[in-house]
Amino acid sequence: MEATNSLLDAAAVGDLVLLDPLTEESLLHTLQERFRRSDIYTYIGNVVISVNPYRSLPIYTPEKVQEYHNCNFFAVKPHIYAIADDAYRSLRDRDRDQCILITGESGAGKTEASKLVMSYVAAVCSKGEEVDKVKEQLLQSNPVLEGGDQGPGGAMAELPPPCHPPEQLKLRQDCRHYGYLNRESSGLPGMDDAANFHATQDAMRIIGFSPAEVTALLEVTAVVLKLGNVQLSSSYQASGMEACSIAEPQELQEICELIGLDPGRLERALCSRTVKARDEMVLTTLSVPQGYYGRDALAKNIYSRLFDWLVNRINASIQVKPGKQRKVMGVLDIYGFEIFQDNGFEQFIINYCNEKLQQIFILMTLKEEQEEYVREGIQWTPVEFFDNSIICNLIENSKCGILAMLDEECLRPGVVNEDTFLTKLNQLFATHKHYESKETQNARRVMDASLPPQCFRIHHYAGKVTYNVTGFIEKNNDLLFRDLSQAMWAARHALLRSLFPEGDPQKVSLKLPPTAGFQFKASVATLMKNLYSKNPNYIRCIKPNETKTAMLFTPELVLAQIRYLGLMENVRVRRAGYAFRQLYGPFLERYKMLSPRTWPRWAGSDRDGAEVLLAELAFPPEELAFGHTKIFIRSPRTLFDLERQRQERVVQLATLIQKTFRGWRCRMHYQQMRKSQIIISAWFRGHMQKNKYKQMKRSALIIQAHVRGWKVRRAYRRYFRAGASARLANFIYRRLVQKFLVSLERNLPPLVVTDRTWPPAPYKFLADANQELRSIFYHWKCKKYREQLTPQRRALLQAKLCASELFKDKKTLYSKRCQ
């Protein structure tokens, strides 16, 4: 009930599909209000929006895991565990490959979300020694490598590895490059952080890395770091040509000692280049800028290939045995859409990837919607939405796309620079509605000071992004000179040697290596193909503020992310048909009190009950659709009206329940009082009867005493003669008897049967009467004692009496025992 109320809370709905009205302002306000209540998760259908709170919340306990295990997705409050459970059950029960796409910018909590998903699946999946081992390896892979997509039991989504390291590695040098998988931490330990270093080593050991592999990996990492220290100096040959040389040979010496390579060979590879001229190999010297280009290219390639090796090594470690693999679950932690003040080649390809992901999201969401409509037997109405394929085609078209033009410009002989590249784009896309530059604006007579001359702008689905073309050609080329590849292959370091198979002189290829853009485009195509083959689940992560302050919500920053994450577009697509759908059973259970025909019990089927209920509520027919298993409601306003009526009815029912309870409580109180009064009256009457009986007994004793006195007086009269002396004697006798009876009444002994005391007669002539009174009183007292005996006590005394009669005068000790 609490979860459903959360979803249908009009002030802060748990599902943005139910927003009414649907605007950017209402969507932002809902997220802000839920964030204020510490509800950091919100739904768009089965998509989870996660706003990073930058503090720990008590919502990830083992009890929460059990609450969301095998739950109904919409029967509990929005939570990342709900989507993880839904994906896991689809994998387990429906035998469908799953992929969870986690997007958002740096600091939005993507990596933490992926950890939560994997830890939840690890907690609820099957148990066993082998499975537990794999789960532990999986969870320990996070410190080593964040972004690898794998699942428990070796169920890995073999998504294509990045072609280059994803972010800038600022370790005494700038190994800046790019990649579509955002690994916010490389997993390689910082040498100034001993705790992280040891934690990473422990994680590698648990995963299955041998000590030799750990050492080799750290040595190659050290090579990348030390290459940043290699400095070049300029010199001139006799011909006047500029040349470069190593400024500090000590750094080069340390690198060569690590990898087992002749320092002279590595110096020649860094400072010169072998080219083929007229069937001859000619060694040409490089200028200092060219030398630095080669050095940076080598560092980036070593890092990139080492990262790929690390991904493959972890995948191999948790791979299930042959013949055991069934279905797979992938967790894709990808960098979100980027709109910076200065956007370059890195932002261009990252946004291209997000454009493709938005395309697959829209298409697969529509596909899922259409499949559900067909499944439920409801007429599918085509949904109008923004098709961003025109933007994807603008970038990736193999003949005239931006990437194709960039490759063409990179491979063109002669002087190549970004000006010619931008000119070519301006000519090709002069009329394209999603492309603009200073030149195209001038042609259209548009005055826009925000667009610099060396830039072009693309109208992405998430907004307009201006890209500076400076560095595009250099970063796209990213060529590694053949001399450097051969030098790395000649090293005696086994791991480093394995990373450069093309350096084998027997496998020399004269073909130019593919450009970065071409590799990236191919990787994205492989990724899209992989995602199309799986059932997607989505988690959109939002960064609420730039300072990572706990529970601080910056509306302007969040609004920008709402736009470039395409949340409005997601909501529009999801509610294009029917905004709300629910199984008949839960729907009838929640709203059956609105109709007297379905309340309190409905004997028919759930669907019939829902139809009867909604028919009595008289909603417009176009607002409702009845599927095979679900009820569909088109407008959120209809649902909220239904919820409003339910709240009013709940108040009425609560009043009725209170009224009924109060009446029942009053009746029960009256009945208890009446019963108590009857009991008290019965006890009082009994008490009065007892007192009356006692008085009657006492009166009877007095009467008997008077009768005996009369008899005594009559006897005495026989001794007196008639006359005064007889009357005097009679008077004296009466006075004495009266005085005796009065004193006897005041001195009666206690009513204890064992007490046989009796006051003596004051006069001898009253001795017989006194003895008679004593006998009467004692028998009356015994009778009263017998009346008070319980049946058990009476039976016990009877048994004792029987025993007394049996043993009387037959035991020598009888008289003493009886006393």
Side-chain angles (χ1 to χ4, degrees):
M1 181 65 70
E2 178 187 358
T4 309
N5 286 339
S6 174
L7 288 176
L8 300 179
D9 183 356
V13 291
D15 191 342
L16 297 178
V17 175
L18 302 178
L19 268 182
D20 192 23
L22 175 59
T23 62
E24 281 188 344
E25 291 73 20
S26 64
L27 194 153
L28 177 65
H29 172 76
T30 299
L31 291 179
Q32 185 172 10
E33 177 62 23
R34 291 183 60 79
F35 187 77
R36 186 186 62 81
R37 303 178 185 181
S38 294
D39 291 330
I40 63 172
Y41 297 114
T42 310
Y43 290 152
I44 298 179
N46 57 356
V47 177
V48 175
I49 310 300
S50 171
V51 185
N52 196 343
Y54 294 118
R55 70 179 178 91
S56 299
L57 294 175
I59 57 175
Y60 307 108
T61 60
E63 292 75 19
K64 283 292 181 182
V65 171
Q66 292 303 316
E67 178 182 346
Y68 283 87
H69 184 37
N70 291 329
C71 68
N72 184 337
F73 192 84
F74 295 103
V76 287
K77 292 182 68 174
H79 200 289
I80 198 171
Y81 284 171
I83 193 171
D85 185 77
D86 190 57
Y88 175 69
R89 283 192 291 129
S90 295
L91 177 78
R92 181 193 63 191
D93 302 335
R94 303 173 194 168
D95 201 29
R96 298 175 64 185
D97 286 349
Q98 301 294 313
C99 183
I100 299 179
L101 281 76
I102 306 175
T103 58
E105 65 178 68
S106 180
K110 301 185 302 300
T111 302
E112 191 62 30
S114 64
K115 291 178 183 178
L116 289 171
V117 169
M118 289 189 287
S119 63
Y120 177 85
V121 176
V124 301
C125 70
S126 59
K127 304 295 186 290
E129 183 177 352
E130 181 180 355
V131 174
D132 291 340
K133 177 183 176 182
V134 172
K135 287 194 293 186
E136 182 63 21
Q137 290 176 334
L138 168 63
L139 296 177
Q140 289 298 328
S141 67
N142 278 314
V144 181
L145 175 67
E146 294 175 358
D149 297 277
Q150 59 266 22
M156 296 173 296
E158 292 293 348
L159 301 180
C163 55
H164 293 286
E167 295 182 336
Q168 298 179 359
L169 178 62
K170 296 288 189 180
L171 297 170
R172 300 192 188 179
Q173 67 147 32
D174 183 9
C175 286
R176 186 175 63 180
H177 215 354
Y178 48 83
Y180 65 85
L181 284 183
N182 171 34
R183 297 174 175 87
E184 295 176 354
S185 166
S186 67
L188 303 177
M191 297 304 170
D192 60 343
D193 191 342
N196 286 342
F197 179 72
H198 291 301
T200 304
Q201 284 189 313
D202 291 340
M204 287 182 177
R205 177 182 52 80
I206 293 173
I207 292 172
F209 282 78
S210 66
E213 286 177 320
V214 175
T215 302
L217 187 146
L218 295 177
E219 287 174 346
V220 176
T221 305
V223 170
V224 177
L225 301 178
K226 288 181 176 293
L227 277 172
N229 292 336
V230 174
Q231 299 297 319
L232 304 177
S233 60
S234 178
S235 61
Y236 290 90
Q237 296 177 326
S239 62
M241 297 290 293
E242 182 184 1
C244 67
S245 60
I246 304 299
E248 298 178 5
Q250 181 61 30
E251 293 289 346
L252 200 66
Q253 183 69 30
E254 292 178 2
I255 294 174
C256 291
E257 288 177 1
L258 276 174
I259 63 177
L261 182 64
D262 176 31
R265 176 160 189 176
L266 182 55
E267 183 176 4
R268 287 193 303 271
L270 288 172
C271 299
S272 61
R273 180 182 178 190
T274 304
V275 295
K276 187 175 181 180
R278 296 182 179 180
D279 298 330
E280 292 184 9
M281 303 303 293
V282 179
L283 185 66
T284 62
T285 60
L286 300 177
S287 64
V288 171
Q290 290 173 334
Y292 277 127
Y293 176 85
R295 183 203 67 174
D296 293 348
L298 178 60
K300 288 184 286 188
N301 271 272
I302 293 175
Y303 181 82
S304 173
R305 298 182 189 203
L306 179 63
F307 199 93
D308 293 344
W309 175 86
L310 197 58
V311 171
N312 294 329
R313 178 63 183 81
I314 293 174
N315 282 343
S317 176
I318 63 175
Q319 179 68 52
V320 294
K321 296 179 180 178
K324 288 190 176 181
Q325 184 170 352
R326 293 295 182 267
K327 290 295 177 179
V328 299
M329 177 184 293
V331 181
L332 179 62
D333 173 1
I334 187 167
Y335 207 80
F337 203 89
E338 288 186 342
I339 306 178
F340 296 153
Q341 190 70 27
D342 185 21
N343 302 285
F345 185 67
E346 294 85 352
Q347 286 70 45
F348 175 71
I349 60 173
I350 288 173
N351 292 348
Y352 160 56
C353 181
N354 277 274
E355 198 77 56
K356 294 291 290 183
L357 286 174
Q358 175 69 6
Q359 184 182 42
I360 191 175
F361 172 77
I362 296 296
L363 293 178
M364 296 195 77
T365 301
L366 288 174
K367 178 184 177 184
E368 184 181 354
E369 287 281 293
Q370 185 174 6
E371 287 178 350
E372 183 173 25
Y373 280 46
V374 172
R375 229 176 13 249
E376 293 293 328
I378 295 176
Q379 182 66 35
W380 169 256
T381 303
V383 177
E384 293 184 3
F385 66 97
F386 171 64
D387 185 0
N388 66 337
S389 59
I390 185 173
I391 304 174
C392 296
N393 190 59
L394 169 68
I395 299 172
E396 68 180 3
N397 187 284
S398 58
K399 293 183 178 180
C400 58
I402 295 176
L403 286 176
M405 294 301 101
L406 183 60
D407 287 351
E408 182 179 304
E409 200 66 17
C410 290
L411 300 177
R412 184 169 62 85
V415 179
V416 177
N417 55 50
E418 284 79 9
D419 292 336
T420 58
F421 167 62
L422 185 58
T423 300
K424 186 173 291 186
L425 295 184
N426 293 336
Q427 292 173 353
L428 281 172
F429 307 120
T431 59
H432 200 289
K433 63 181 180 179
H434 289 278
Y435 174 91
E436 61 178 336
S437 66
K438 199 68 177 178
E439 184 177 327
T440 60
Q441 285 184 346
N442 291 338
R444 300 170 190 168
R445 292 182 174 83
V446 175
M447 300 300 295
D448 185 1
S450 65
L451 186 57
Q454 287 294 106
C455 300
F456 67 89
R457 182 178 290 159
I458 295 181
H459 297 201
H460 288 283
Y461 78 92
K464 300 178 180 180
V465 185
T466 302
Y467 299 102
N468 192 326
V469 297
T470 303
F472 263 55
I473 292 178
E474 177 186 348
K475 294 172 182 177
N476 188 52
N477 266 325
D478 194 32
L479 298 178
L480 181 66
F481 298 146
R482 189 179 300 110
D483 305 70
L484 292 172
S485 295
Q486 292 177 349
M488 294 299 101
W489 188 86
R492 290 193 297 273
H493 195 282
L495 176 57
L496 184 62
R497 180 187 178 99
S498 68
L499 299 180
F500 292 87
E502 77 279 9
D504 187 350
Q506 298 180 1
K507 300 179 180 178
V508 173
S509 174
L510 298 180
K511 291 179 60 177
L512 285 174
T515 62
F518 180 86
Q519 294 179 62
F520 187 82
K521 177 182 171 183
S523 295
V524 170
T526 306
L527 173 64
M528 295 302 113
K529 182 180 179 181
N530 209 329
L531 294 180
Y532 271 117
S533 66
K534 293 171 174 56
N535 182 52
N537 305 271
Y538 303 92
I539 301 174
R540 308 291 203 193
C541 297
I542 291 178
K543 179 171 66 174
N545 62 79
E546 292 285 5
T547 58
K548 297 186 178 180
T549 304
M551 303 310 294
L552 174 63
F553 193 96
T554 307
E556 297 80 11
L557 178 64
V558 175
L559 181 60
Q561 295 172 82
I562 287 174
R563 288 170 178 167
Y564 68 64
L565 285 173
L567 299 190
M568 288 292 294
E569 190 72 14
N570 295 356
V571 176
R572 289 192 184 101
V573 170
R574 182 64 172 76
R575 65 185 285 176
Y578 292 88
F580 178 80
R581 70 282 311 268
Q582 192 174 34
L583 294 171
Y584 288 118
F587 180 83
L588 183 61
E589 184 66 25
R590 182 168 181 80
Y591 298 108
K592 64 181 180 180
M593 72 280 294
L594 298 180
S595 170
R597 296 180 60 186
T598 56
W599 175 262
R601 293 180 181 85
W602 171 255
S605 67
D606 292 337
R607 173 170 179 167
D608 292 341
E611 291 180 349
V612 168
L613 169 66
L614 292 171
E616 288 204 1
L617 296 177
F619 286 115
E622 63 273 10
E623 281 292 307
L624 306 172
F626 296 92
H628 298 311
T629 63
K630 294 180 180 179
I631 173 68
F632 289 73
I633 298 177
R634 185 179 299 278
S635 169
R637 194 166 301 170
T638 301
L639 181 64
F640 286 126
D641 184 45
L642 194 64
E643 189 65 17
R644 178 187 55 77
Q645 294 185 49
R646 179 185 179 277
Q647 293 295 337
E648 294 174 354
R649 181 58 177 160
V650 165
V651 173
Q652 296 173 2
L653 292 176
T655 304
L656 177 62
I657 292 171
Q658 290 176 347
K659 180 177 68 176
T660 305
F661 174 75
R662 290 192 183 104
W664 171 82
R665 188 171 61 180
C666 289
R667 284 194 302 274
M668 293 299 297
H669 183 64
Y670 167 75
Q671 290 175 359
Q672 289 177 350
M673 290 181 62
R674 185 171 181 274
K675 184 177 180 180
S676 300
Q677 185 269 333
I678 291 173
I679 293 173
I680 292 172
S681 299
W683 278 97
F684 179 75
R685 285 193 294 269
H687 172 72
M688 294 299 294
Q689 289 295 329
K690 289 179 181 177
N691 288 340
K692 185 176 180 181
Y693 176 74
K694 289 179 181 178
Q695 291 175 356
M696 290 176 67
K697 275 289 185 180
R698 187 170 293 177
S699 300
L701 290 173
I702 294 173
I703 291 171
Q704 289 177 355
H706 280 287
V707 170
R708 289 191 179 92
W710 174 76
K711 289 181 179 179
V712 171
R713 287 196 303 275
R714 190 176 61 176
Y716 269 88
R717 288 192 189 107
R718 293 175 185 171
Y719 294 102
F720 291 98
R721 294 179 180 179
S725 49
R727 288 194 296 274
L728 178 61
N730 190 30
F731 172 77
I732 294 172
Y733 175 78
R734 285 198 306 273
R735 294 290 295 179
L736 291 173
V737 169
Q738 183 179 8
K739 183 178 180 180
F740 166 70
L741 292 177
V742 171
S743 64
L744 181 64
E745 181 181 4
R746 289 196 296 265
N747 296 323
L748 285 174
L751 299 179
V752 181
V753 294
T754 57
D755 188 355
R756 306 189 64 139
T757 60
W758 186 257
Y763 307 103
K764 291 184 178 180
F765 66 90
L766 293 176
D768 294 338
N770 188 42
Q771 189 65 28
E772 185 69 16
L773 288 174
R774 175 184 180 183
S775 176
I776 293 172
F777 180 80
Y778 184 75
H779 280 82
W780 175 80
K781 185 164 59 174
C782 290
K783 181 176 181 299
K784 293 299 295 179
Y785 175 76
R786 288 195 304 273
E787 290 175 352
Q788 295 175 358
L789 292 176
T790 63
Q792 294 82 2
R793 180 67 177 165
R794 184 184 297 275
L796 179 63
L797 291 177
Q798 287 176 349
K800 287 185 177 182
L801 179 63
C802 181
S804 177
E805 293 294 333
L806 288 173
F807 294 103
K808 186 175 182 181
D809 299 328
K810 295 181 181 179
K811 287 182 70 175
T812 57
L813 298 177
Y814 177 82
S815 58
K816 295 181 179 180
R817 302 272 302 199
C818 285
Q819 291 179 1

